[in-house]
Amino acid sequence: DQQVKQNSPSLSVQEGRISILNCDYTNSMFDYFLWYKKYPAEGPTFLISISSIKDKNEDGRFTVFLNKSAKHLSLHIVPSQPGDSAVYFCAASTEDSNYQLIWGAGTKLIIKP
Amino acid sequence: ETGVTQTPRHLVMGMTNKKSLKCEQHLGHNAMYWYKQSAKKPLELMFVYSLEERVENNSVPSRFSPECPNSSHLFLHLHTLQPEDSALYLCASSQGRTSGANVLTFGAGSRLTVL
């Protein structure tokens, strides 16, 4: 059973508009959530994270929102740019999980010019 | 060289072959990881080494054998693989545990095809 789910395999957004990528989780013990971005033929790169004690974290055009009661987090990209076209992975961990990160299956974001 | 470097980038092997994947990190990190990525599936953690000691081994079949000779190098030795082992194998490193802001830096991956 997947503890971290990204239910949208792909998402298409017009350039300049807002992109919203969603992630749901089942384990209420998760302490940290991270988003990674992956371009073809490259490894994933870290984008932004949020601690479970916060409900929002912002870094430039990227904002992550956490709704603990709904066990849901989302990544907002405003405004969307062509270079944002990539696969986005949501991942989660607990404070005592040693080296384990629990990953979602990814959402492919396509930014249309 | 900077970051995490993986070689080879592509590998095709038969089920009876023996081959190795190599990873090198130039970041001074003390933990290194092997992940498997299959199409449309979450990344699967295979092995973790911290300060050259294996600290995680996620029920990986014995046909995959990791080796960490020092904190900068990590190998994945492959033998008698199955076609279902075809996947992208990603190496990563981190400064320590993955909790909090301790994030992973990934290599570009080795695309493995088993015939």
Side-chain angles (χ1 to χ4, degrees):
Chain A
D1 183 37
Q2 274 186 263
Q3 296 187 60
V4 175
K5 291 185 181 179
Q6 294 177 258
N7 292 317
S8 300
S10 65
L11 176 67
S12 186
V13 174
Q14 201 72 36
E15 181 180 358
R17 307 293 287 267
I18 183 172
S19 295
I20 301 176
L21 297 108
N22 294 304
C23 180
D24 296 298
Y25 61 94
T26 57
N27 187 350
S28 59
M29 300 301 291
F30 285 140
D31 295 297
Y32 300 97
F33 301 90
L34 304 92
W35 286 94
Y36 284 77
K37 178 170 75 173
K38 185 181 184 301
Y39 293 119
E42 294 184 16
T45 55
F46 170 71
L47 192 56
I48 192 170
S49 66
I50 188 168
S51 163
S52 62
I53 64 173
K54 295 186 175 182
D55 53 18
K56 177 182 174 182
N57 189 24
E58 194 171 353
D59 183 2
R61 295 186 299 113
F62 302 90
T63 303
V64 57
F65 294 93
L66 176 61
N67 182 335
K68 288 188 289 294
S69 61
K71 295 192 180 67
H72 176 83
L73 69 156
S74 60
L75 174 68
H76 293 213
I77 306 174
V78 183
S80 300
Q81 298 174 354
D84 296 329
S85 295
V87 177
Y88 289 79
F89 292 96
C90 171
S93 69
T94 59
E95 183 67 42
D96 61 352
S97 63
N98 287 326
Y99 299 87
Q100 293 277 1
L101 270 178
I102 309 300
W103 296 79
T107 296
K108 183 175 183 178
L109 177 64
I110 301 165
I111 305 301
K112 298 179 292 185
Chain B
E1 293 273 17
T2 59
V4 179
T5 305
Q6 288 188 243
T7 54
R9 294 293 308 274
H10 300 273
L11 178 62
V12 179
M13 59 187 289
M15 291 167 60
T16 58
N17 291 158
K18 289 185 181 181
K19 297 285 185 182
S20 296
L21 306 180
K22 178 183 175 183
C23 177
E24 184 174 0
Q25 60 101 356
H26 310 269
L27 300 166
H29 288 168
N30 56 28
M32 295 188 76
Y33 309 70
W34 279 117
Y35 274 91
K36 175 183 178 183
Q37 186 190 13
S38 303
K40 296 187 170 48
K41 288 188 177 181
L43 274 70
E44 301 172 50
L45 179 63
M46 300 175 72
F47 302 103
V48 184
Y49 278 82
S50 175
L51 298 171
E52 302 147 44
E53 180 182 341
R54 191 187 307 180
V55 294
E56 293 279 355
N57 180 349
N58 282 3
S59 303
V60 179
S62 59
R63 55 186 183 270
F64 295 92
S65 175
E67 178 190 1
C68 187
N70 56 61
S71 60
S72 298
H73 293 86
L74 185 65
F75 295 89
L76 188 62
H77 303 298
L78 317 169
H79 59 99
T80 59
L81 295 191
Q82 305 298 311
E84 60 264 29
D85 296 323
S86 298
L88 180 68
Y89 288 84
L90 291 161
C91 176
S93 69
S94 74
Q95 190 52 44
R97 291 179 165 195
T98 56
S99 62
N102 187 24
V103 302
L104 301 179
T105 301
F106 284 88
S110 294
R111 173 70 62 186
L112 173 66
T113 303
V114 182
L115 302 176

